[in-house]
Amino acid sequence: MSSDLDVFVGNTTLIDEEVYRLWLDGHSVAEAVARRLRGGVLEREGTSVAVLQSDTRDHYRTFQMLERLLHAPPRLLQQLLFQIPPERQALLIQRYYAFDEALARELLGKKLSKGTKKELDEVSARTGVGIRSCRRQFDNFKRVFKAVEELRGPLAENIQQLFLLPPALARDYAAIVFFANSRFETGKRRLQFLSFADFAACAQSLMGHWSQGALAPEAAEPDGDLPKSFLQDLKELKVLVADKDLLDQHKSLVCSALRGKISVHNELEANFKALSRALVNVGGKLTHARDVRDFFVDLVEKVIEPCRSDKWSPGDLRLFLTHYTAAPRNLPGFRHQALWERYMAAISACLLRMYHD
Amino acid sequence: MGTMRTVPDFSVVRSGHEVQIPEQVSVPWQGLHRAVSRAPTIPGPAPAGRGGAAPRMRSGAAAAPRHRRGGAAAAAPAGAAGGGGGRRGRKKMPGKLKVKIVAGRHLPVMDRASDLTDAFVEVKFGNTTFKTDVYPKSLNPQWNSEWFKFEVDDEELQDEPLQITVLDHDTYSANDAIGKVYIDIDPLLYSEAATVISGWFPIYDTIHGIRGEINVVVKVDLFNDLNRFRQSSCGVKFFCTTSIPKCYRAVVIHGFVEELVVNEDPEYQWIDRIRTPRASNEARQRLISLMSGELQRKIGLKVLEMRGNAVVGYLQCFDLEGESGLVVRAIGTACTLDKLSNTSAFLPACNSPSKEMKESPLVHPPSHGCRSTHNSPIHTATGSRLTQNFSVSVPTLIYTGMGSGSAGKEGGPFKTLLRQQTQSALEQREFPFFTLTTFPPGFLLHVGGVVSARSVKLLDRIHNPDEPETRDAWWAEIRQEIKSHAKALGCHAVVGYSESTSICEEVCILSASGTAAVLNPRFLQDGTMEGCLEQRIEEASPPGCGFCHIPYDELNMPFPAHLTYCYNCRKQKVPDVLFTTIDLPVEAIVVGKGCLIQARLCRLKKKAQAEANATSISNLLPFMEYEVHTQLMNKLKLRGMNALFGLRIQITVGENMLMGLASATGVYLAALPTPGGIQIAGKTPNDGTYEQHISHMQKKINDTIAKNKELYEINPPELPEEIIGSPIPEPRQRSRLLRSQSESSDEVTELDLSHGKKDAFVLEIDDTDAMEDVHSLLTDVPPPSGFYSCNTEIMPGINNWTPEIQMFTAVRVSRLSNINPTNQTLNKNFNDLCENLLKSLYFKLRSMVPCCLCHVNFTVALPEDELVQIAVTAVAITYDKNQALQANKAPTEKSQQRASTDNEEQLQFPLELCSDPLSSQPFSPAKEVLEGASSHTGIPAAQRDRCNSWIELIKLKAQTIRRGSIKTTTSLEKASPLAEGYLRHRSVPSCTNSTVSVVKMTPLSFLPGAKITKYLGIINMFFIRETTSLREEGGVSGFLHAFIAEVFAMVRAHVAALGGNAVVSYIMKQCVFMENPNKNQAQCLINVSGDAVIFVRESELEMLPVQPSAAAPQHTSSAGDVTT
């Protein structure tokens, strides 16, 4: 005797966290049942496999019906079809939008397009995340991206508002959107040592210090785009390396301030000009989209790798960046101090975050 | 030893075999003449039908209101009664209905090109229609319409639903319907209920399901004293609850009211061939809505005639008779209710008697005991009456455990007096029936046993306009039979009464059942006997056991039964087993806990046509009833219990089989004797291995009984020998239960395997079938630890509920895929199906442990050959285990407990705590939240940041109640049709603020840990859902899952719009599912009902009276204002 039709509907929608997890991971009903069996639920509850199957199917159906609503979480709160207590709604949303960092790392800076989606098979193989889960997470990224792309104001807050995500998760999504928007290159071999968390922290620093929203709350442009005028202004900073006098003065100010304070003083003296050129030029190139892509590559190649080969400690780098940023204040004829500090604040934060093995 | 009772004499009287062939009806849509009686003052004859709902109703020639039993002319000739509706000189327009369409949200995309919708709304009441403007290019239109005003008469108000249709405007072609909302405005018609309906309603379409929501405000202004308009019954309150609703007091319980209306089913009309199924289903929904309204109005009229003001235990059902039509019928109990406005006035008055009652059993000194005996408490009665149509009256079994003996000395005279008075009170009534299952203390004096009657009818294929009363006659016949059965049991009344049907093709089984009882006349008449008799009655029958005492004149016993003296008071006689259809009386003294007991049965039947079919069904029915009874009895014994409450036997007819499912809650009543065990007797005693097998089985049974006693904590206090010893001369002490097929078993060996001195039931194993049956007895698995289940309102023996409840509906359809099915394999399949379903429920709800499934209601249907559908609705309630343990340990109570001490307050008469500020104001929990909402709408960013966690933010949003609180950021959207696109660039649209208020649903009449402060009106909804893309919607399960969720959502939305926060006495009366997988199609009809209420948590209630009453403004009007 087979059950053709078998449903259970509660006035309060039952959410089984374990089954939700399995569903999110992209397992089929049969796989989910097998996993639950291995979890020993049969022994604990003294029930039968048929009951477990029926239960799993019920939950899967519920989740499938909920998925449509989860695509626009405020609707989940407004909808009348499922009566779900607020903390359960929060759980549903959070788990649905939670992502595997390994996957996010792979996709950082990539265009969230159909083409990328087609490559998910490889990503899945590399990261060990199930292909269905990969696709769902990719769709989440894309959905969030589309939703906030053209909104003004702070990216993370917009995401939090539109998708009702916990603040930390919203900030991570903001980073993903930021990377997708600026298409930063993150896939190069020399960037492989950087984790998703590193990039997310960098994205936050960049948005926090550079975006329009950081200056005026009523900015006209979305946070995801770095303000054009600001990037344009960055060209003015080139004077620091172009002007030989300024460069020399800058070097002497920094070197004298750091004398005895860092272990790599000799190396600093030898490399200062190269470092300074790299640091300033990274900013100067940002007006061109192509160069923007190389932002992180440049930082690693021209700053982090030389420092690392000279065995700078993170403390050394920190001290150097502090003084390097502060010194131009005392340079005669340098009129871009505010711009410089705004620029360097983000660059310093990124470098410090990225400076590890 | 052992009363040998062979198969009862099922002498089926087949009478009235002539099948009438009525004359051909010339006009196809004329149908039955009893469709709708219309006010003649409605302008024009409305030939196109009113409200589009009844194009096939004979609206012009309003049939005269029926006086079926009043003696007046029954059916006025069609057409002649053109002005009949106005027989009482009615005036038009006693009321004004006002409707405002505020906004929509989440509408579906109707224009693929723009991904938007140009929505407008049609508001229709009666035959008046208003339209809103088209709100172009938006999925969240803000119509903010004017107030549409309908000037209507009150009859119309009662009959008609308000129809709201949302459409997509299309310049070049016909406008597409997005969906509909039907709003029953009945709750607005009586003063104590809701004053406004306001909120978001799901927009429903029979094909697409819910498609967005619409915000509507509805008000009614009633102009005149409604009593002058007798055609309507405005002001009569309806309750589904089968007890006196909390916060009301019953002044008089008048008795039975019933009515039915018939119409053609639009599904089966000739026009159906040229219209879409969608149109057909919408017509059906509309029609049934209309018929329900009409039915309710007619019942209301009867109540007014009886000088009542309310109907309690209102049960409305649909019979989808297919080609022969659509019957909507309802029964209920007319009452005069008093709103409890002042607590202090009632507290002493009501409290003291109940207290006395509780203690009184202890006061009575034990009198003579008696020996316990057992019998097969089956009474066969045959009853049949002539009808014009083919009909077979099925011999009826009266389930009872009562019999004769000599009455207690003290009881005699009072009983007689009582009987006389009750008789006089009830004799005026044609049917002294009560649909109540729980009663005010002192109302129920004695219970006789279950009475039931069934009748097999052939549905007449062609309507005969001259015989409009056929269905009425059928029911009248059955009710007569019930009445006579009750009389046979010495009872003048039937309580816990219900009626049901099962239809397969043209055969219909009508069933009625109830519990024969003797009632206290003081509630039945207007305050006449108050006081004088009361005192003595209470003396005569101690309430803890009084209802168990036989109501019967022991000297005139029509059937053999075995009686003992009551184990509680020792004065009166009690039966050994008691079966009832009512809830366990609160004052009943029970031992241990109760449990759900089910008897399940299948019987194959040959496929046959018409009369042959009906005859074969009616031949099978008595055997089925008998076996169901046997199973129940055996299972009861197996659990060591002696009484069944809430018994409901459902016989379902299918093409090639009959199914019987009986559910009840078993308990051990302290007043009844300890049940004996079950013994098996083998037929072939010489066979050694067989003997061994038998004794093995016997051991298993004994073990099961012992285990069950432990599980359900059944440890009745041991009685001293001398008390038990006093014998009533009885020739036999042990009864044997025989299976119905075993008539031929002439030679019987009696094995005396009884344990100790206890008398036992003997199960005779005479063939393999019997063996199977014994096996199946043992297959019932007890619920896993931490779970209990019952089908009554409260679980006997558990009294510390927590407020956590979960109502659910589960539906299963299984294929009985046997090539050559036998009764046994079918039985086993059916049994497994039920057991697996229960198991699955326990697993689903495991997180609620310790918990009890209450009001477990199984419904069986046989939609097709080999398909069995089971639908279960129940509520799981968590209870506090620690407290339970404490209660059990309480030394004074020992194992004897009242059914539920804690719930007494809730279940009894409304005694307490409807304190002044609460009952005098229209309190609504929505109010406070609403106030909060205004400050939270558009939670400022700063505040958002201050929220500690984001969960709090979500909670905060969730609290912002949706009633009327439309987002305030609409100005821009309204200004420009392009707003949506524009908005994207503007900022995050702040549309997340209004969320949904929680609405609890429960099949019980109460909410644990809460007080119901107001009844807002009856919810009675009927939906049809169909699909032509079954696979795409997730197959049959996906389709039905979504539909049930949608039905819940629509019920909740209506309750919330009335200002309520719960539905009590919720019931899914019908769930008819049909599929055609080959065509990728399915269709389902669901009918639900319940009472919308406002409840307040008891914890909150304690704080409330402190607040000044001024703190509660009129929430209703404010809700409307916020929306603008």
Side-chain angles (χ1 to χ4, degrees):
Chain A
M1 191 162 73
S2 59
S3 280
D4 298 351
L5 183 159
D6 179 5
V7 297
F8 175 100
V9 190
N11 184 38
T12 304
T13 305
L14 285 181
I15 308 287
D16 186 303
E17 291 186 38
E18 187 198 353
V19 183
Y20 190 45
R21 175 85 271 152
L22 293 167
W23 178 74
L24 287 174
D25 288 347
H27 297 292
S28 68
V29 172
E31 287 163 0
V33 169
R35 279 174 184 256
R36 293 181 82 185
L37 281 174
R38 262 177 268 151
V41 71
L42 226 56
E43 291 75 28
R44 277 200 307 280
E45 304 293 334
T47 191
S48 68
V49 178
V51 166
L52 207 59
Q53 275 169 343
S54 143
D55 181 64
T56 309
R57 275 195 213 104
D58 260 329
H59 284 299
Y60 265 56
R61 268 199 306 275
T62 308
F63 298 142
Q64 272 150 24
M65 284 188 264
L66 280 169
E67 188 163 24
R68 194 172 50 87
L69 298 163
L70 282 164
H71 290 170
R75 279 199 64 180
L76 183 70
L77 270 64
Q78 273 187 332
Q79 54 84 32
L80 305 177
L81 193 56
F82 299 99
Q83 185 157 276
I84 306 170
E87 59 279 3
R88 285 269 141 179
Q89 289 180 339
L91 177 117
L92 284 173
I93 296 167
Q94 188 190 356
R95 294 268 175 91
Y96 191 78
Y97 281 93
F99 54 82
D100 288 294
E101 292 202 350
L103 174 74
R105 173 70 184 80
E106 290 273 344
L107 294 176
L108 266 184
K110 291 217 173 97
K111 198 175 175 189
L112 298 174
S113 64
K114 283 205 180 102
T116 313
K117 197 172 178 181
K118 280 187 190 129
E119 293 161 19
L120 283 177
D121 285 339
E122 298 160 31
V123 178
S124 166
R126 273 203 297 278
T127 56
V129 179
I131 180 64
R132 278 197 253 184
S133 182
C134 279
R135 293 207 185 103
R136 182 181 57 80
Q137 295 182 39
F138 176 85
D139 288 340
N140 282 347
F141 297 154
K142 193 170 173 181
R143 192 177 315 110
V144 173
F145 179 81
K146 290 270 176 209
V148 297
E149 204 175 15
E150 290 170 58
L151 290 178
R152 63 182 188 186
L155 205 50
E157 265 183 49
N158 283 344
I159 292 171
Q160 200 183 332
Q161 186 70 6
L162 277 178
F163 291 91
L164 306 175
L165 302 180
L169 188 56
R171 282 196 293 274
D172 283 348
Y173 267 95
I176 292 166
V177 171
F178 182 74
F179 270 79
N181 201 41
S182 302
R183 310 279 306 283
F184 291 113
E185 173 62 69
T186 64
K188 286 260 162 65
R189 179 183 288 270
R190 54 164 42 105
L191 295 182
Q192 283 311 309
F193 73 101
L194 292 169
S195 70
F196 171 79
D198 293 334
F199 282 119
C202 292
Q204 271 164 41
S205 304
L206 292 175
M207 281 187 283
H209 293 108
W210 290 1
S211 71
Q212 201 106 53
L215 295 181
E218 287 301 311
E221 282 176 76
D223 254 14
D225 295 329
L226 293 174
K228 292 227 159 48
S229 58
F230 170 72
L231 298 178
Q232 199 65 44
D233 291 346
L234 288 181
K235 289 192 186 299
E236 305 290 330
L237 299 176
K238 282 199 171 169
V239 72
L240 280 175
V241 287
D243 187 316
K244 184 113 183 24
D245 289 345
L246 276 181
L247 184 59
D248 287 338
Q249 284 177 46
H250 194 182
K251 179 183 174 183
S252 67
L253 280 170
V254 174
C255 287
S256 62
L258 289 175
R259 194 177 307 276
K261 289 185 181 156
I262 58 172
S263 56
V264 286
H265 196 260
N266 293 339
E267 291 85 344
L268 168 66
E269 282 200 318
N271 287 338
F272 182 87
K273 287 185 181 171
L275 280 176
S276 187
R277 244 178 234 120
L279 286 168
V280 172
N281 285 340
V282 161
K285 286 161 71 181
L286 288 178
T287 41
H288 303 293
R290 282 207 77 78
D291 299 328
V292 170
R293 300 198 56 176
D294 293 333
F295 178 74
F296 288 100
V297 180
D298 286 350
L299 284 184
V300 169
E301 192 178 6
K302 294 183 176 144
V303 183
I304 289 181
E305 285 179 353
C307 290
R308 202 189 276 152
S309 67
D310 287 344
K311 305 234 174 343
W312 291 43
S313 73
D316 293 339
L317 184 63
R318 180 182 304 279
L319 271 173
F320 163 72
L321 286 171
T322 310
H323 287 93
Y324 178 74
T325 309
R329 207 176 292 156
N330 302 321
L331 289 176
F334 183 69
R335 291 168 288 115
H336 308 292
Q337 189 57 36
L339 181 68
W340 170 248
E341 279 176 13
R342 181 178 168 197
Y343 169 69
M344 278 310 292
I347 295 287
S348 302
C350 287
L351 286 172
L352 289 170
R353 174 77 207 203
M354 291 156 72
Y355 194 71
H356 63 77
D357 293 331
Chain B
M1 297 284 283
T3 311
M4 267 283 299
R5 282 185 53 80
T6 47
V7 178
D9 176 27
F10 294 118
S11 52
V12 182
V13 180
R14 293 188 200 90
S15 47
H17 271 226
E18 349 73 90
V19 176
Q20 218 176 34
I21 302 174
E23 289 159 40
Q24 190 72 37
V25 185
S26 50
V27 189
W29 62 79
Q30 263 190 344
L32 297 181
H33 275 229
R34 303 162 41 207
V36 182
S37 114
R38 278 287 153 229
T41 40
I42 291 161
R50 302 158 40 75
R56 282 142 252 110
M57 287 193 182
R58 313 181 71 252
S59 38
R66 293 181 300 146
H67 295 259
R68 288 179 304 150
R69 283 146 208 160
R87 70 198 160 100
R88 301 203 189 190
R90 308 188 49 242
K91 286 179 199 164
K92 195 177 148 49
M93 204 193 78
K96 194 183 270 180
L97 171 69
K98 300 193 290 182
V99 184
K100 186 185 178 89
I101 305 297
V102 184
R105 65 182 183 195
H106 310 144
L107 296 189
V109 170
M110 298 299 281
D111 180 2
R112 282 279 151 223
S114 67
D115 267 4
L116 289 168
T117 295
D118 304 323
F120 71 100
V121 182
E122 268 183 18
V123 185
K124 189 169 194 173
F125 191 79
N127 43 12
T128 314
T129 306
F130 291 103
K131 283 181 189 174
T132 66
D133 297 334
V134 174
Y135 192 91
K137 298 193 173 32
S138 171
L139 300 181
N140 299 292
Q142 306 288 320
W143 292 288
N144 249 314
S145 78
E146 59 185 297
W147 286 99
F148 298 126
K149 294 179 181 122
F150 300 87
E151 294 187 345
V152 286
D153 57 65
D154 50 350
E155 183 189 337
E156 221 175 346
L157 277 174
Q158 281 188 294
D159 286 9
E160 295 273 354
L162 175 67
Q163 293 178 47
I164 293 167
T165 313
V166 186
L167 299 113
D168 177 51
H169 175 75
D170 200 323
T171 320
Y172 305 107
S173 60
N175 298 326
D176 290 333
I178 295 172
K180 289 196 151 205
V181 180
Y182 290 92
I183 301 178
D184 178 11
I185 48 168
D186 210 48
L188 296 178
L189 301 183
Y190 40 93
S191 51
E192 288 152 59
T195 55
V196 67
I197 299 175
S198 165
W200 288 102
F201 292 87
I203 302 167
Y204 181 75
D205 178 74
T206 54
I207 289 182
H208 300 97
I210 292 177
R211 306 173 96 186
E213 289 119 38
I214 184 168
N215 193 289
V216 180
V217 188
V218 186
K219 289 179 179 177
V220 169
D221 293 336
L222 289 173
F223 294 155
N224 295 317
D225 168 26
L226 291 164
N227 288 337
R228 285 199 283 127
F229 301 93
R230 265 315 162 84
Q231 199 64 28
S232 80
S233 50
C234 282
V236 174
K237 291 180 277 291
F238 285 80
F239 301 91
C240 293
T241 301
T242 57
S243 56
I244 302 302
K246 285 83 205 165
C247 65
Y248 286 95
R249 184 181 74 99
V251 182
V252 187
I253 299 175
H254 300 285
F256 192 57
V257 279
E258 46 77 35
E259 185 66 82
L260 60 78
V261 272
V262 182
N263 206 314
E264 282 193 19
D265 191 337
E267 176 97 340
Y268 293 89
Q269 279 170 323
W270 64 274
I271 195 164
D272 217 39
R273 283 171 214 148
I274 54 166
R275 73 177 165 191
T276 63
R278 183 187 193 181
S280 173
N281 277 334
E282 265 163 23
R284 270 177 125 183
Q285 286 194 159
R286 241 180 353 248
L287 177 66
I288 286 179
S289 190
L290 200 64
M291 287 168 82
S292 308
E294 183 196 355
L295 190 69
Q296 214 169 312
R297 175 174 58 82
K298 287 186 168 173
I299 292 248
L301 277 174
K302 291 191 169 180
V303 173
L304 289 176
E305 267 169 37
M306 295 166 98
R307 278 175 299 167
N309 64 3
V311 183
V312 179
Y314 184 67
L315 178 70
Q316 184 191 289
C317 292
F318 300 95
D319 295 332
L320 301 164
E321 292 186 354
E323 285 182 9
S324 65
L326 192 65
V327 178
V328 187
R329 58 191 163 80
I331 56 174
T333 305
C335 294
T336 302
L337 298 183
D338 236 10
K339 176 114 176 132
L340 285 182
S341 49
N342 197 336
T343 324
S344 54
F346 286 103
L347 258 176
C350 295
N351 236 356
S352 51
S354 70
K355 222 172 236 171
E356 269 168 38
M357 292 163 113
K358 269 181 251 164
E359 282 151 15
S360 53
L362 306 171
V363 181
H364 291 282
S367 69
H368 310 289
C370 53
R371 183 145 30 148
S372 78
T373 53
H374 294 273
N375 69 315
S376 163
I378 294 170
H379 171 61
T380 316
T382 56
S384 80
R385 266 147 211 88
L386 282 166
T387 47
Q388 289 93 343
N389 295 49
F390 178 88
S391 110
V392 184
S393 234
V394 176
T396 313
L397 307 167
I398 302 184
Y399 298 147
T400 170
M402 56 134 298
S404 83
S406 60
K409 282 170 201 157
E410 306 95 314
F414 293 116
K415 226 182 221 178
T416 316
L417 175 63
L418 173 70
R419 185 161 297 125
Q420 281 165 359
Q421 291 187 341
T422 317
Q423 199 160 3
S424 66
L426 289 169
E427 252 167 15
Q428 299 149 7
R429 298 187 178 108
E430 189 178 18
F431 297 114
F433 297 169
F434 300 86
T435 53
L436 303 178
T437 58
T438 307
F439 309 92
F443 181 78
L444 187 70
L445 296 180
H446 304 296
V447 169
V450 172
V451 285
S452 78
R454 285 178 214 283
S455 163
V456 183
K457 302 285 183 190
L458 273 184
L459 299 171
D460 38 357
R461 215 165 305 170
I462 302 154
H463 301 140
N464 184 350
D466 298 329
E467 292 284 344
E469 319 269 295
T470 319
R471 302 297 182 281
D472 273 328
W474 288 355
W475 286 111
E477 196 182 288
I478 288 218
R479 288 169 193 145
Q480 268 309 331
E481 202 171 307
I482 290 277
K483 192 178 168 184
S484 68
H485 290 336
K487 271 220 175 93
L489 287 172
C491 296
H492 297 291
V494 176
V495 294
Y497 180 74
S498 66
E499 293 175 349
S500 62
T501 58
S502 172
I503 298 171
C504 179
E505 304 283 316
E506 55 190 355
V507 176
C508 173
I509 302 180
L510 310 184
S511 310
S513 74
T515 304
V518 174
L519 305 177
N520 186 340
R522 116 178 116 105
F523 289 97
L524 304 173
Q525 282 171 342
D526 283 295
T528 45
M529 256 155 286
E530 198 106 36
C532 70
L533 194 65
E534 189 182 346
Q535 205 68 28
R536 280 181 293 174
I537 289 164
E538 277 169 18
E539 256 177 274
S541 50
C545 58
F547 72 93
C548 307
H549 300 164
I550 53 155
Y552 193 85
D553 183 3
E554 345 17 64
L555 301 173
N556 257 331
M557 219 164 47
F559 45 84
H562 299 269
L563 302 175
T564 55
Y565 277 105
C566 173
Y567 274 54
N568 188 47
C569 67
R570 314 254 158 245
K571 284 183 172 175
Q572 307 275 323
K573 291 290 179 59
V574 292
D576 56 348
V577 176
L578 187 63
F579 284 13
T580 75
T581 57
I582 55 171
D583 269 330
L584 184 66
V586 273
E587 65 268 21
I589 302 168
V590 298
V591 175
K593 295 189 165 64
C595 76
L596 179 73
I597 292 177
Q598 286 192 322
R600 301 143 187 161
L601 189 66
C602 290
R603 277 289 165 270
L604 284 167
K605 169 185 84 68
K606 282 202 186 76
K607 279 191 185 179
Q609 292 298 313
E611 282 173 53
N613 193 18
T615 310
S616 72
I617 291 170
S618 53
N619 285 344
L620 274 173
L621 280 179
F623 294 102
M624 291 194 66
E625 298 243 21
Y626 183 76
E627 279 204 49
V628 163
H629 180 266
T630 307
Q631 265 193 41
L632 282 175
M633 197 60 124
N634 289 338
K635 288 187 175 179
L636 185 67
K637 302 258 173 209
L638 205 58
R639 285 167 178 81
M641 298 173 183
N642 58 19
L644 286 181
F645 287 89
L647 177 62
R648 186 168 161 264
I649 303 173
Q650 206 194 346
I651 305 271
T652 310
V653 58
E655 288 269 281
N656 57 351
M657 63 176 145
L658 287 172
M659 289 201 136
L661 180 67
S663 303
T665 301
V667 291
Y668 186 106
L669 285 177
L672 302 191
T674 309
I678 298 175
Q679 288 179 36
I680 319 176
K683 202 184 171 191
T684 48
N686 302 330
D687 189 341
T689 52
Y690 190 70
E691 283 286 285
Q692 209 178 345
H693 186 66
I694 293 284
S695 67
H696 176 68
M697 297 269 282
Q698 182 67 59
K699 189 177 172 299
K700 255 173 116 176
I701 287 179
N702 293 347
D703 289 350
T704 310
I705 294 178
K707 221 184 281 170
N708 278 329
K709 281 187 172 173
E710 196 180 324
L711 178 64
Y712 300 110
E713 295 159 27
I714 297 168
N715 318 299
E718 285 295 324
L719 291 163
E721 191 68 21
E722 62 268 24
I723 295 177
I724 306 170
S726 157
I728 301 174
E730 287 285 349
R732 287 148 193 244
Q733 296 183 350
R734 203 177 63 196
S735 68
R736 168 174 303 121
L737 197 77
L738 285 173
R739 298 169 35 78
S740 50
Q741 292 105 324
S742 58
E743 292 152 87
S744 57
S745 66
D746 37 7
E747 183 196 353
V748 177
T749 321
E750 292 199 3
L751 289 174
D752 192 5
L753 300 168
S754 61
H755 24 289
K757 60 184 187 299
K758 299 273 167 64
D759 303 302
F761 233 51
V762 177
L763 269 182
E764 184 155 335
I765 300 191
D766 49 1
D767 53 17
T768 43
D769 288 8
M771 203 54 133
E772 294 278 341
D773 283 5
V774 174
H775 274 299
S776 73
L777 263 187
L778 295 166
T779 52
D780 279 10
V781 190
S785 76
F787 273 108
Y788 287 97
S789 54
C790 63
N791 77 333
T792 46
E793 285 246 314
I794 48 159
M795 176 65 182
I798 297 180
N799 49 24
N800 35 18
W801 306 110
T802 68
E804 198 193 338
I805 65 166
Q806 167 72 289
M807 189 283 295
F808 60 85
T809 292
V811 182
R812 266 185 198 192
V813 175
S814 278
R815 195 168 291 279
L816 306 168
S817 51
N818 287 318
I819 307 146
N820 291 313
T822 62
N823 285 335
Q824 272 59 49
T825 54
L826 283 180
N827 274 346
K828 190 178 178 308
N829 283 345
F830 185 35
N831 211 37
D832 289 350
L833 184 56
C834 293
E835 284 292 320
N836 287 337
L837 186 46
L838 280 170
K839 252 191 232 166
S840 171
L841 298 181
Y842 295 134
F843 181 72
K844 287 252 177 228
L845 300 161
R846 64 195 185 284
S847 64
M848 292 183 75
V849 158
C851 95
C852 179
L853 300 189
C854 293
H855 214 286
V856 178
N857 186 7
F858 274 66
T859 317
V860 182
L862 296 163
E864 270 175 60
D865 271 18
E866 296 174 348
L867 281 188
V868 182
Q869 176 195 313
I870 301 183
V872 188
T873 297
V875 63
I877 313 181
T878 302
Y879 63 89
D880 192 329
K881 204 170 191 175
N882 300 327
Q883 276 182 42
L885 286 174
Q886 276 176 355
N888 281 347
K889 277 176 200 156
T892 46
E893 287 277 31
K894 218 175 173 180
S895 57
Q896 291 209 350
Q897 296 170 348
R898 307 268 165 191
S900 157
T901 29
D902 258 9
N903 281 324
E904 236 164 74
E905 310 170 82
Q906 291 170 340
L907 292 170
Q908 266 180 8
F909 234 20
L911 316 170
E912 62 276 311
L913 274 181
C914 285
S915 53
D916 251 340
L918 272 177
S919 45
S920 56
Q921 311 149 5
F923 172 82
S924 157
K927 171 212 53 166
E928 288 159 302
V929 192
L930 201 72
E931 283 167 2
S934 55
S935 59
H936 291 314
T937 15
I939 303 157
Q943 191 185 337
R944 238 179 283 136
D945 289 341
R946 260 180 266 128
C947 281
N948 287 348
S949 73
W950 124 99
I951 289 188
E952 263 172 48
L953 173 72
I954 288 184
K955 275 186 186 159
L956 183 69
K957 290 187 177 199
Q959 276 166 8
T960 321
I961 205 150
R962 91 199 121 111
R963 276 200 80 199
S965 64
I966 309 238
K967 57 189 176 198
T968 47
T969 58
T970 56
S971 52
L972 232 165
E973 276 178 88
K974 234 193 296 179
S976 155
L978 300 165
E980 296 222 341
Y982 176 69
L983 209 72
R984 291 174 60 98
H985 300 275
R986 213 180 100 237
S987 87
V988 176
S990 55
C991 61
T992 59
N993 294 318
S994 53
T995 4
V996 185
S997 59
V998 172
V999 175
K1000 298 223 173 201
M1001 292 169 75
T1002 173
L1004 308 179
S1005 64
F1006 66 97
L1007 289 143
K1011 290 278 177 203
I1012 292 171
T1013 56
K1014 196 170 172 184
Y1015 281 80
L1016 298 164
I1018 199 167
I1019 296 282
N1020 187 3
M1021 300 169 97
F1022 178 86
F1023 298 103
I1024 303 177
R1025 181 88 146 79
E1026 65 191 305
T1027 183
T1028 49
S1029 51
L1030 188 58
R1031 275 187 296 276
E1032 294 77 0
E1033 290 185 39
V1036 284
S1037 296
F1039 172 71
L1040 195 64
H1041 193 143
F1043 184 36
I1044 294 174
E1046 282 168 349
V1047 169
F1048 285 0
M1050 286 183 278
V1051 169
R1052 288 193 301 257
H1054 277 78
V1055 172
L1058 286 167
N1061 56 4
V1063 189
V1064 296
S1065 300
Y1066 170 82
I1067 175 173
M1068 186 166 84
K1069 289 176 295 191
Q1070 219 138 20
C1071 176
V1072 184
F1073 177 79
M1074 288 160 285
E1075 59 167 321
N1076 188 343
N1078 298 331
K1079 283 187 171 174
N1080 204 19
Q1081 289 174 347
Q1083 179 175 304
C1084 187
L1085 298 82
I1086 288 184
N1087 177 213
V1088 297
S1089 65
D1091 293 325
V1093 300
I1094 298 175
F1095 74 87
V1096 185
R1097 290 251 160 267
E1098 261 157 11
S1099 50
E1100 292 164 31
L1101 199 65
E1102 282 159 22
M1103 303 182 299
L1104 271 170
V1106 188
Q1107 292 174 353
S1109 58
Q1114 280 278 323
H1115 75 282
T1116 47
S1117 55
S1118 65
D1121 295 342
V1122 175
T1123 57
T1124 52

